[in-house]
Amino acid sequence: SQQGEEDPQALSIQEGENATMNCSYKTSINNLQWYRQNSGRGLVHLILIRSNEREKHSGRLRVTLDTSKKSSSLLITASRAADTASYFCLLYYGNNRLAFGKGNQVVVIP
Amino acid sequence: GAGVSQSPSNKVTEKGKDVELRCDPISGHTALYWYRQRLGQGLEFLIYFQGNSAPDKSGLPSDRFSAERTGESVSTLTIQRTQQEDSAVYLCASSLVAAGGYNEQFFGPGTRLTVL
């Protein structure tokens, strides 16, 4: 199966700093979604970016997609302790094939 | 409105026994997905249902795994002759029509399966 690769795997930052994580893939996608998982709220959808889009914003989140490099980045600005979680990309390929990436663990230190 | 619910929340079973996991999707969601998440790892896609179409079983790891869904309602994931490597959290998600994957998935809380 096609598996996204996020880099870095683990990130520890101070509250107020920005956090950036990446997701790369090997085969063309229809769209890419980012999800957050923490113990309190389970898996929650954050943002979706289509293959014909290059950048999207949602609150403190900014997602970019570079289809030529087959990679996406998720930026969280002005991080908060509540942003501590694992972040996963979900890749949608054609024919309803999909795969989650391995995930980034982000720890925001108050 | 109710979200996706799963039962049981925890299941401990002995190696070789069969287990059945249940997922209640959000009403009106035609697409339903099952995933497996081993401790500290990402989500592994298992199976996907879209309305009354034949399910996409491409992610099922072995023939011990099967899933059913009646129409656009409840789904059950059955694992026969469980093995210790089946221990994981099994997550269910639902979404509106999934063509192209342009809809967010709503996840249930998961069922934690432990095979002794």
Side-chain angles (χ1 to χ4, degrees):
Chain A
S1 61
Q2 300 290 339
Q3 190 78 13
E5 300 278 345
E6 286 103 8
D7 176 39
Q9 296 289 315
L11 184 63
S12 183
I13 58 174
Q14 294 289 330
E15 199 166 30
E17 294 180 339
N18 296 340
T20 300
M21 58 208 86
N22 301 304
C23 173
S24 60
Y25 53 94
K26 298 179 180 178
T27 306
S28 295
I29 57 173
N30 286 346
N31 71 77
L32 185 150
Q33 301 179 29
W34 284 93
Y35 287 79
R36 178 181 63 210
Q37 184 179 39
N38 59 32
S39 58
R41 294 193 60 195
L43 261 161
V44 175
H45 177 268
L46 295 177
I47 197 165
L48 179 152
I49 187 165
R50 298 172 182 240
S51 60
N52 61 353
E53 296 176 316
R54 292 296 169 259
E55 185 172 315
K56 285 190 78 171
H57 297 256
S58 177
R60 294 183 295 111
L61 304 178
R62 172 177 170 252
V63 171
T64 62
L65 179 63
D66 187 334
T67 53
S68 64
K69 295 181 179 178
K70 292 187 171 57
S71 70
S72 172
S73 68
L74 172 66
L75 168 68
I76 305 172
T77 60
S79 62
R80 305 168 181 169
D83 295 329
T84 294
S86 293
Y87 292 82
F88 296 91
C89 66
L90 172 62
L91 304 162
Y92 268 100
Y93 305 96
N95 299 319
N96 292 318
R97 300 294 186 192
L98 56 88
F100 270 94
K102 295 180 179 178
N104 284 264
Q105 290 187 338
V106 175
V107 175
V108 180
I109 302 168
Chain B
V4 177
S5 60
Q6 293 185 245
S7 61
S9 55
N10 281 283
K11 176 71 177 179
V12 180
T13 190
E14 294 179 347
K15 179 181 174 181
K17 295 286 180 71
D18 297 352
V19 295
E20 190 172 278
L21 313 179
R22 177 187 169 108
C23 173
D24 282 88
I26 293 172
S27 178
H29 280 191
T30 58
L32 186 147
Y33 310 79
W34 282 99
Y35 298 92
R36 178 171 69 179
Q37 186 174 32
R38 292 195 168 106
L39 185 63
Q41 299 189 20
L43 282 81
E44 178 186 357
F45 167 74
L46 297 179
I47 189 169
Y48 151 73
F49 294 90
Q50 171 60 53
N52 293 316
S53 303
D56 178 353
K57 303 179 180 180
S58 60
L60 293 178
S62 79
D63 59 7
R64 296 186 295 105
F65 287 72
S66 63
E68 293 183 349
R69 187 185 187 195
T70 304
E72 296 180 358
S73 60
V74 171
S75 175
T76 55
L77 176 68
T78 301
I79 308 173
Q80 295 178 311
R81 305 180 303 281
T82 52
Q83 304 293 314
Q84 289 182 332
E85 63 261 27
D86 298 334
S87 295
V89 175
Y90 289 82
L91 289 158
C92 173
S94 71
S95 73
L96 294 171
V97 63
Y102 294 111
N103 288 297
E104 67 176 281
Q105 295 184 25
F106 293 81
F107 281 82
T111 293
R112 183 176 298 278
L113 175 66
T114 303
V115 182
L116 302 176

